[in-house]
Amino acid sequence: MSPPSFLRPARAVTPMAFVRAIVQAYERYGMDPAEALKAAQITPRELARPGARVTAAQFEALSGHAMQELDDETLGWFTRRLPWGSYGMLCRASLTSPDLGVALKRWCRHHRLLTEDIGLSLDVAGGVATLRIAENRPLDDTFREFCLVTTLRFVHGYMCWAIDSRISLRHASFPFAAPPHSDAYPLMFTPDVRFGAPQAGIAFDERYLALPLQRDERALRTMLKRALPLTILQYRRDRLLGQRVRELLRSRASEATTAEALAALLNVSGRTLHRQLHEEGTSLQMLKNEVRHEMAVDQLRRTTRPIKQVALAVGFRNEKSFSRAFLQWTGQAPRDFRQQGK
């Protein structure tokens, strides 16, 4: 299986530390990395620069060449090789799952057949799903960061590809101190990156697990030919975005007062928020209206609060604008609606 691109091809932001880890894999196997570096157009001078970065396309070329030349898709991380095609087998074994939750459980279970050095587990609590990596054996410090980062990227990439949706992460955790290139982590995962954690892992909304898989064998064969289809940032659509926006408007209305504030809570840009909602056939204003309507109906039916207080509670500046909006929603004035419900 080809490795996933770490970041957008046009930007040189993938840390050179990951390139050096691949070079060290060649050293472990007593082989020369010259051809792999040449394929990726990475010079010895660039390799030696501490803060240097490469593009996703360069990294894809390098790692793809190395995995085949070394016949090890894990590039020296574990006590034994994972021959070329191992991760493709994991993808295929999970492909017939009815939903993402079953697919991930199969992935975690089947991963143990490949190596015992690390173990993957999926836990769900409080509406949050967390995929964790247990280090069953001490990983070589040379490869540890690269191993944990890449393993999570592989699984996250497969998840997004399988359901054809961007899966927004709540947070990502790593059991080591922030490296010098830690600024690349928010681009690879999410702005909320936690270093010094007990285990490596990614957390996301539990409801993604119930989404059905959208891919078949033909799509899998196409995907396995190259890495770019697994790039997280290519998945612009988030199938749960509308639901997540509605929930934030209900539960954190005081914080989600503007599109920018709401986008920040969702870990996306304001532009991305508007674009994805448009692709779903809705808009932020439409969702606000839906939530305000639901909340207003609930307030009018369940409480005896004055109309003015109801208006303020559901996000309107005054009773007049609320009454006008409620009339448009229901064809009735708020007082008439309340009277009718008695």
Side-chain angles (χ1 to χ4, degrees), residues 139-190:
L139 297 173
D140 189 316
D141 288 342
T142 301
F143 302 109
R144 188 182 184 218
E145 179 195 3
F146 187 37
C147 168
L148 298 177
V149 167
T150 306
T151 299
L152 291 178
R153 289 284 294 175
F154 268 139
V155 184
H156 191 195
Y158 178 75
M159 289 161 54
C160 295
W161 174 83
I163 62 173
D164 191 22
S165 171
R166 182 183 180 89
I167 296 178
S168 300
L169 300 179
R170 297 285 186 90
H171 59 82
S173 303
F174 297 94
F176 45 77
H181 46 268
S182 61
D183 60 315
Y185 276 69
L187 300 173
M188 292 189 286
F189 295 98
T190 175

Side-chain angles (χ1 to χ4, degrees), residues 80-325:
R80 68 179 180 88
R81 299 175 195 256
L82 266 61
W84 178 256
S86 297
Y87 277 96
M89 181 183 68
L90 282 186
C91 293
R92 185 165 279 108
S94 301
L95 192 63
T96 57
S97 305
D99 56 49
L100 182 61
V102 173
L104 281 179
K105 288 176 182 177
R106 288 181 180 177
W107 184 290
C108 294
R109 186 169 64 252
H110 294 148
H111 197 276
R112 290 182 296 179
L113 301 176
L114 300 180
T115 179
E116 295 182 353
D117 291 23
I118 64 170
L120 304 180
S121 63
L122 178 67
D123 303 311
V124 180
V128 178
T130 305
L131 182 78
R132 293 188 175 90
I133 301 177
E135 298 176 55
N136 299 327
R137 296 174 181 169
L139 297 173
D140 189 316
D141 288 342
T142 301
F143 302 109
R144 188 182 184 218
E145 179 195 3
F146 187 37
C147 168
L148 298 177
V149 167
T150 306
T151 299
L152 291 178
R153 289 284 294 175
F154 268 139
V155 184
H156 191 195
Y158 178 75
M159 289 161 54
C160 295
W161 174 83
I163 62 173
D164 191 22
S165 171
R166 182 183 180 89
I167 296 178
S168 300
L169 300 179
R170 297 285 186 90
H171 59 82
S173 303
F174 297 94
F176 45 77
H181 46 268
S182 61
D183 60 315
Y185 276 69
L187 300 173
M188 292 189 286
F189 295 98
T190 175
D192 189 353
V193 178
R194 305 170 184 181
F195 294 103
Q199 289 182 316
I202 51 175
F204 52 94
D205 193 309
E206 173 192 7
R207 289 171 299 179
Y208 286 110
L209 299 177
L211 296 181
L213 269 62
Q214 303 288 324
R215 308 295 187 172
D216 57 16
E217 176 65 26
R218 182 178 179 182
L220 177 63
R221 288 197 300 269
T222 300
M223 183 270 285
L224 291 178
K225 290 178 181 178
R226 53 194 292 268
L228 288 181
L230 276 186
T231 302
I232 304 302
L233 297 177
Q234 287 191 352
Y235 292 92
R236 298 168 64 175
R237 180 184 180 188
D238 182 342
R239 294 179 182 273
L240 290 184
L241 184 64
Q243 296 179 48
R244 296 171 65 213
V245 168
R246 289 186 184 91
E247 289 181 356
L248 287 173
L249 290 172
R250 292 189 191 102
S251 62
R252 302 176 69 173
S254 61
E255 298 172 68
T257 54
T258 65
E260 289 71 23
L262 185 58
L265 292 173
L266 292 164
N267 289 330
V268 299
S269 68
R271 183 177 179 181
T272 297
L273 173 63
H274 286 300
R275 186 190 67 243
Q276 290 190 25
L277 290 177
H278 177 73
E279 290 172 357
E280 288 189 23
T282 187
S283 68
L284 183 55
Q285 190 58 53
M286 290 172 64
L287 294 178
K288 283 183 176 180
N289 288 341
E290 287 180 22
V291 172
R292 286 175 172 179
H293 179 195
E294 293 169 5
M295 294 172 64
V297 166
D298 182 64
Q299 291 273 327
L300 291 171
R301 284 178 175 168
R302 288 194 312 103
T303 75
T304 58
R305 301 174 72 180
I307 303 298
K308 183 176 181 179
Q309 289 186 17
V310 172
L312 296 174
V314 300
F316 285 87
R317 294 182 178 180
N318 53 60
E319 181 178 345
K320 183 178 180 180
S321 59
F322 168 64
S323 297
R324 183 166 57 247

